[in-house]
Every structure is written in structure tokens, then in C-alpha cells.
Amino acid sequence: MSTSENISLTECASLSELQARIKNLKDHMEKSGLCCAIILQNADVYYFTGTTQKSVLFVPLEDEPILFVEKNQERARIESPISQIPIKSEKDLKGHIEKYLTKGKRCGMELDVIPVLIYERWKKILKDHEIEDISRALREIRAVKSEFEISQIKKSGMIIRKVFDEAKKVIAEGERELDVAARLEYVGRINGHQGFLRMRGMNQEMMNIYVIHGLTSTIASFADVPISGYGITPAIAQGPSFNRIERGVPTLVDYGGGYNGYITDETRLFLIGEWKDEIMRRAYECSFEIISEVQSFGKEGVDATEIFSKAKSLAKRAGLDEFFMGYGQTKVSFVGHGLGLEINELPVITEKRKMILKEGMVFAFEPKFVIPGLGASGLEVDFIVRKWGLERVTDFPLEVQVL
């Protein structure tokens, strides 16, 4: 099936796969002494059920999960094999879950994303039960992808390939960042892009494409990313702008693929003519070297902090550590982030938190440099963690695309 065709039910996660995911959740619940888990956030509900219809996933430790569906019930039945009960509101499910609450006094919820008002409503429903945060456990469970999930990620990567191929044709001297981005968005959509990227957390907003060039790539935004662009309005404050592309200055195309819920995220450089500034060329070459070096030793069992340390040391050796992953207050503390149903999953490649890579993890690795007064330079490539090493998600070249 090509990515330009409609997604069929054969591409949905099977019942056995959903059951395996729920088993992983129940294993955590048992270790933590939880009698039930209440899942509300769309990405988590989809992960465990296969649908994003308005619903509550209730997972009792000692019984089968139940999906309480408010709407659309007919669509939820088509999309999800999980047992379902229609409800009109959260209060309607109170009677259904009371018998399960006698088995313990502690319930798990996604406290990293649930608004306070919803939390307070659930406190009334659960009465004297304690509510504990299971968001970290959910993220750790989701971090290791099944082969089904990896197949969806690779199809998402195929869309990136088509967009980068088109970028070689539409990036030209005098074109505006915004115009190039619009043409590339079109290419992604007609090749199956879902048109939306999920990002976990309050005010975590991100476009699926950034076409950024020269000075606009040095302007920081609220987003926790090394390069965000200036955008066209302070209401969004990121993304492509009306800035026009110049000869000799690299254009970064940072594109987030999205297929059947699964996100990929890669960046390539496109250059018209020869490099105008030597330091920008050196920054690209350092980025290329960092990726090559990490790919040579990264695999299951490697600590993510080792990857960050290697990247940082190579940037320092090149005399570019001042500009690595941003400049001054714009610096970010990571050089990679997990991918899946959300663009900011685990593992995070940082020096602050140890995380041992496991087979099936997928992450975007993005050594980038921001040079004040000139622009930004660097690459981003997606890796699947294997026992033997790191597998590329896409096969689009890392070399600068000279136009």
C-alpha cells in the first residue's frame, strides 16, 4: 500500500498487540500497588485502544479494560476491539467502576497533561481513593516500539523522503521561506501526511514544517527547540517567514512526517551555489561528523548520556561548542528526542538524565549550530535502536543538497 492511499483497517494495531500493551501497563500497576488506571489523553487512549474518540479508558488491575465512549460510539466500535460501554458524561461511568474500586485505594492517572478541573472532577468520582501520576510509566512503555509501530514510522519516513526530493526543485534564490514551505506541505499531504503532529505538554505547539534561512534561523521562540524560525505573527512566533532565500546561505528544511499517528522528524540543508561563510560550512561538517560517530557506536545498552557527551566533545573539538544546540540563552539541553505518537517521546538524548537505549526505541538526533548574525547549520536524522546498532528510518542523503 502506498502512502497516498487511505489507511485501511489492516493497518490498525491488532487486538493481540493492544493486549500486550495493556499487559505492560498492568505490570507497572501491580508493582506500584495501583488498583486501576484511568487514561484520558488522546495519544495514550489511541495507543491502548486504537481509537481517539471522546472516551475514558478504564483499566482495572484484575479485570479486562473498558472503554467508556461518550462520542462517536459507532466509530469507536469500528476502530477499537476493546470492550466498550456508551456514556453521556464522566459521571455516567461512576456506577460501572465502583466494584473495581473495592480492590484497592490507589488509582493512576496522567497528571502531566490532565487539567486541574478534570482532576478535581475525578477526585469526586473516586472519593477516598488516592490518585497517583503514571505519566512517566506510560511514556516508558510507549518508548519501545513494536515492529508494527516501526513499520508505520518507516512509512512516515517515506513522506519525508518525498518532501526533501521536492525541496531540491522548489528552493530557489529570491523565494520566500513561506512559499517554499507551502509547496512542500502540499507534497506531504498528497503523499499521505496526516496533517497534524502531537506534542505532549501544555503550550507545546509545533508546525510540521520549518523552512528557515539566514538570520531568521537565529531568532529564538518560546518552543524548546534549537531552531524555530521567526514565523509571520507573534501569535505563533515560529516557523517560516517572509524572509527571502539568498545564494550561499544554507536553507534548513526541518520536516515532521506523520502517518497513521506516527511521527518522524528530519532536517536537511539546501544550498544555492558556494558557501558564503566558512563557519557555516564547518558547522555542517561537524554535524555530519557527530551523526557518523554516534551511528558507529550507538545500539541497545548504550546510555543516552554517552551520545550527548560524544556530540558535545566533537563540537568543542571543532571550536563550535559556543554555538552548539543554540546560542546564549537560546541553547537547549538535549541533542535528540524520542519519536512515536508524539514528537517529544522518550528517550531524550541529554547529559542530565541517564537512559539506557533499548531495542525498538526510535529517536531523532539533531546536532545543530546557531551562529549569531549569520544563520543556522546542522542536520537531523531518525534512528531505530537495534541490538546491533542504529538503523536509519529514511535513506535520504545527509550531504548538503547543492542547488
Side-chain angles (χ1 to χ4, degrees):
M1 172 178 177
S2 71
T3 55
S4 60
E5 295 175 319
N6 290 330
I7 296 171
S8 69
L9 290 179
T10 59
E11 287 197 280
C12 296
S14 65
L15 175 59
S16 61
E17 171 139 351
L18 296 177
Q19 289 172 335
R21 297 174 185 180
I22 290 169
K23 181 182 182 303
N24 289 336
L25 173 58
K26 286 190 172 185
D27 287 345
H28 167 78
M29 291 164 56
E30 187 172 18
K31 291 176 185 175
S32 303
L34 301 177
C35 69
C36 66
I38 298 156
I39 310 297
L40 302 176
Q41 192 237 25
N42 274 353
D44 291 330
V45 170
Y46 180 73
Y47 179 77
F48 290 109
T49 70
T51 186
T52 58
Q53 298 310 295
K54 188 176 182 182
S55 56
V56 174
L57 176 62
F58 183 78
V59 183
L61 178 61
E62 298 179 0
D63 213 323
E64 294 301 309
I66 305 169
L67 188 63
F68 294 96
V69 183
E70 188 170 344
K71 70 172 188 179
N72 179 332
Q73 294 159 14
E74 182 178 357
R75 182 167 177 177
R77 283 195 296 271
I78 293 171
E79 294 175 340
S80 176
I82 301 298
S83 297
Q84 299 175 26
I85 296 176
I87 60 170
K88 292 183 179 179
S89 67
E90 291 167 353
K91 292 182 180 179
D92 286 352
L93 57 80
K94 184 177 179 181
H96 293 291
I97 68 174
E98 282 182 343
K99 64 178 180 179
Y100 301 105
L101 299 180
T102 61
K103 304 297 178 66
K105 289 294 183 181
R106 300 166 64 209
C107 303
M109 295 184 75
E110 311 137 299
L111 299 188
D112 65 328
V113 291
I114 294 176
V116 173
L117 288 178
I118 292 178
Y119 172 78
E120 292 294 336
R121 291 207 302 266
W122 273 97
K123 280 179 65 177
K124 293 178 181 179
I125 293 172
L126 298 173
K127 292 183 179 179
D128 57 345
H129 282 70
E130 298 177 22
I131 298 177
E132 298 196 9
D133 185 21
I134 57 169
S135 57
R136 178 71 187 189
L138 294 178
R139 296 185 73 198
E140 289 177 351
I141 291 168
R142 283 175 42 190
V144 178
K145 273 64 182 178
S146 67
E147 286 305 313
F148 166 77
E149 291 182 282
I150 289 172
S151 72
Q152 304 307 291
I153 286 169
K154 287 183 176 180
K155 290 179 180 179
S156 179
M158 288 168 58
I159 298 173
I160 287 182
R161 171 80 202 220
K162 292 179 183 293
V163 167
F164 286 162
D165 279 333
E166 185 67 18
K168 294 186 291 184
K169 304 173 186 176
V170 301
I171 293 175
E173 190 173 2
E175 289 284 350
R176 301 185 305 180
E177 296 172 354
L178 191 63
D179 296 330
V180 173
R183 294 182 187 126
L184 297 182
E185 281 193 83
Y186 166 77
V187 170
R189 287 293 274 163
I190 64 172
N191 281 285
H193 195 290
Q194 64 195 25
F196 185 78
L197 301 181
R198 286 192 170 96
M199 194 172 187
R200 198 176 189 94
M202 181 178 176
N203 290 339
Q204 295 296 302
E205 301 167 337
M206 181 163 287
M207 297 178 173
N208 72 296
I209 188 165
Y210 295 78
V211 176
I212 312 175
H213 176 86
L215 289 178
T216 59
S217 62
T218 68
I219 300 172
S221 76
F222 65 90
D224 189 23
V225 293
I227 302 167
S228 59
Y230 186 70
I232 59 174
T233 168
I236 304 299
Q238 59 174 305
S241 71
F242 297 118
N243 182 36
R244 294 188 182 273
I245 293 171
E246 300 176 15
R247 179 173 294 273
V249 179
T251 298
L252 284 85
V253 178
D254 187 343
Y255 186 73
Y259 180 80
N260 201 15
Y262 288 90
I263 296 169
T264 43
D265 183 18
E266 298 211 352
T267 302
R268 295 295 187 276
L269 287 184
F270 298 82
L271 180 69
I272 301 170
E274 301 292 328
W275 290 93
K276 181 179 177 182
D277 297 289
E278 176 67 12
I279 192 170
M280 298 289 279
R281 181 188 63 79
R282 286 174 47 219
Y284 154 73
E285 290 177 349
C286 184
S287 180
F288 188 97
E289 181 185 11
I290 289 170
I291 290 173
S292 300
E293 183 68 21
V294 166
Q295 193 169 11
S296 71
F297 76 87
K299 61 180 179 179
E300 182 179 64
V302 171
D303 194 319
T305 59
E306 296 178 47
I307 294 176
F308 186 93
S309 296
K310 173 59 71 174
K312 190 173 182 180
S313 66
L314 290 173
K316 186 173 183 179
R317 190 179 72 182
L320 297 168
D321 53 315
E322 181 182 8
F323 314 113
F324 182 56
M325 301 307 293
Y327 179 81
Q329 292 183 342
T330 72
K331 277 183 177 289
V332 296
S333 60
F334 63 89
V335 71
H337 55 89
L339 295 168
L341 296 175
E342 294 168 312
I343 202 167
N344 57 340
E345 295 199 359
L346 299 177
V348 180
I349 311 301
T350 177
E351 64 182 345
K352 294 182 176 181
R353 179 178 294 167
K354 289 182 176 293
M355 175 162 280
I356 304 301
L357 299 184
K358 298 179 181 178
E359 180 161 24
M361 286 182 169
V362 181
F363 66 93
F365 186 57
E366 54 176 324
K368 295 174 180 173
F369 298 85
V370 177
I371 317 299
L374 293 179
S377 189
L379 297 164
E380 183 173 20
V381 61
D382 297 343
F383 288 124
I384 303 163
V385 178
R386 300 296 193 185
K387 293 184 185 300
W388 50 263
L390 298 177
E391 177 187 351
R392 289 273 304 274
V393 170
T394 76
D395 61 356
F396 193 86
L398 296 177
E399 286 76 14
V400 173
Q401 300 300 297
V402 180
L403 312 176

